[in-house]
């Protein structure tokens, strides 16, 4: 759901992006949502002590990354005054990678729940997660694009606020 929400924010931020770029956004999230549970499985299967030490920093990393991107979107919203940019800076390859990591880093924990799976089952589980993520993220960008064209001047601001809220949600749910 974090990846869907960020995809929605991306669509709000860039209502003019092409289907190819929409697929790139969805593919980036799907890649990281596939990678992280499998990586968690590998970590649990090999070096559990290192993974548990890292796990307490995961919410802090997600908060920092999503807040950074959200603030950038808000600042961009104030600069471009509602102009429709098909390639906004927040959707550059580097920013997409940061978004992908930020929204999927908590999925490392899924490695704990699939730790008893065989390698094949861990791969199949991760691929299923990735396929579902691709679908919902593609829909999220498309939905955001539709709303983004309606709320042109405020869409970037709203999208940035969504990213910051998601970062806070990840952080706060890890505390409580």
């Amino acid at each position: 759901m974090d990846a869907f929400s960020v995809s929605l924010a991306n669509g709000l931020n860039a209502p003019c992006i092409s289907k190819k770029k929409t697929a790139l956004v969805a593919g980036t999230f799907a890649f990281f949502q596939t990678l992280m549970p499998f990586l968690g499985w590998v970590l649990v299967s090999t070096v559990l002590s290192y993974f548990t030490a890292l796990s307490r920093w995961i919410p802090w990393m997600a908060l920092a990354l999503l807040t950074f991107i959200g603030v950038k979107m808000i600042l961009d919203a104030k600069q471009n005054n509602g102009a429709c940019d098909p390639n906004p800076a927040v959707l550059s390859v580097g920013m997409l990678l940061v978004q992908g990591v930020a929204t999927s880093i908590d999925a490392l924990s899924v490695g704990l729940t699939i730790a008893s799976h065989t390698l094949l089952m861990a791969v199949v589980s991760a691929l299923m997660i990735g396929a579902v993520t691709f679908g919902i993220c593609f829909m999220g960008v498309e939905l955001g694009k539709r709303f983004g064209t309606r709320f042109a001047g405020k869409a970037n601001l709203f999208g940035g606020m969504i990213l910051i809220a998601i970062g806070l949600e990840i952080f706060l749910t890890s505390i409580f």
Side-chain angles (χ1 to χ4, degrees):
M1 290 314 298
D2 294 341
F4 169 78
S5 300
V6 175
S7 295
L8 182 69
N10 284 337
L12 285 168
N13 187 46
C16 300
I17 65 171
S18 65
K19 292 281 190 205
K20 183 178 176 182
K21 187 78 169 194
T22 299
L24 177 65
V25 171
T28 300
F29 289 118
F31 171 76
F32 283 104
Q33 289 290 341
T34 301
L35 176 69
M36 292 299 186
F38 182 71
L39 184 58
W41 179 85
V42 168
L43 289 172
V44 168
S45 300
T46 56
V47 285
L48 180 61
S49 61
Y50 295 115
F51 177 71
T52 54
L54 172 70
S55 66
R56 70 180 196 170
W57 294 104
I58 288 173
W60 289 95
M61 290 185 274
L63 175 64
L65 292 171
L66 289 172
T67 299
F68 170 75
I69 297 166
V71 168
K72 181 162 180 31
M73 284 176 71
I74 290 168
L75 293 175
D76 287 348
K78 293 182 184 232
Q79 290 176 352
N80 86 8
N81 296 325
C84 194
D85 182 1
N87 281 317
V90 78
L91 291 183
S92 68
V93 173
M95 291 302 276
L96 279 177
L97 292 176
V98 171
Q99 290 177 10
V101 169
T103 58
S104 65
I105 198 162
D106 59 333
L108 277 169
S109 305
V110 174
L112 293 172
T113 63
I114 63 172
S116 62
H117 287 28
T118 64
L119 173 62
L120 177 62
M121 287 305 299
V123 169
V124 168
S125 297
L127 288 173
M128 287 174 57
I129 291 168
V132 170
T133 300
F134 182 86
I136 65 171
C137 289
F138 195 91
M139 290 186 300
V141 174
E142 289 296 314
L143 186 61
K145 283 168 49 175
R146 285 193 175 83
F147 282 107
T149 54
R150 288 191 184 133
F151 305 111
K154 303 290 181 208
N156 293 354
L157 181 66
F158 184 63
M161 291 178 359
I162 287 174
L163 293 182
I164 293 169
I166 292 167
L168 285 170
E169 182 265 335
I170 291 170
F171 178 73
L172 293 174
T173 56
S174 73
I175 293 175
F176 300 110

